[in-house]
Amino acid sequence: FLRHVRRCRLLLYVLDALDASGSGLSPAEQYRALHRELSLYNPEYTRRPHIVAINKLDMLLELEGRDATAARKAAEVQAVLAAAAELSAADPLLSTPLGVLGISAKAARGLDKLQQLIDAGLSSAGAASLTLDAT
């Protein structure tokens, strides 16, 4: 499956705000794990432009309420950004996220902003794709 990433100019990491998979990982830990898997398969993939979407905020809202969800969303975004900065400090060639945002795919919240980030990322990745596809 990961060999198909070589054709991608932009990656979208979709992380689970509630860890519905039961792995016990926070979004920041999921980000690190995903980064590690990509790096093990092909370190070049970790240099690709990417966006991080923290999904299932609708479920968080149901469980925790509006104020707690807003605070947790902000904390999770900051934790993912900190994880990205930490990884980037260890390897300056790594790509840091073009954006990190909370979404609810089910409730269609945050998807407009996500689409804007994807469009901007694809536009800026257009010229870079020629060099990335050559590898």
Side-chain angles (χ1 to χ4, degrees):
F1 172 76
L2 288 177
R3 69 187 152 116
H4 297 291
V5 173
R6 70 180 162 81
R7 293 186 223 136
C8 299
R9 294 183 297 165
L10 176 71
L11 301 178
L12 174 63
Y13 298 2
V14 181
L15 309 177
D16 190 339
L18 287 180
D19 183 32
S21 68
S23 67
L25 300 177
S26 71
E29 292 166 328
Q30 292 170 50
Y31 179 83
R32 284 187 191 95
L34 182 54
H35 181 274
R36 185 173 44 256
E37 289 298 318
L38 286 173
S39 182
L40 288 171
Y41 185 79
N42 184 342
E44 202 291 303
Y45 292 171
T46 62
R47 298 178 182 137
R48 303 271 169 127
H50 63 281
I51 296 166
V52 178
I54 302 172
N55 192 26
K56 299 189 181 174
L57 291 182
D58 56 301
M59 294 176 72
L60 255 169
L61 187 62
E62 289 175 20
L63 292 171
E64 299 181 1
R66 182 170 305 278
D67 292 339
T69 297
R72 180 153 169 204
K73 176 179 126 180
E76 296 293 4
V77 166
Q78 289 304 311
V80 169
L81 288 170
E86 176 185 305
L87 291 168
S88 184
D91 182 353
L93 295 176
L94 298 181
S95 173
T96 56
L98 300 175
V100 179
L101 71 158
I103 65 166
S104 169
K106 180 180 178 183
R109 292 200 173 99
L111 299 183
D112 290 339
K113 176 67 174 168
L114 178 59
Q115 183 64 56
Q116 291 171 0
L117 281 171
I118 291 170
D119 291 345
L122 287 173
S123 293
S124 65
S129 69
L130 297 175
T131 32
L132 292 175
D133 288 340
T135 59

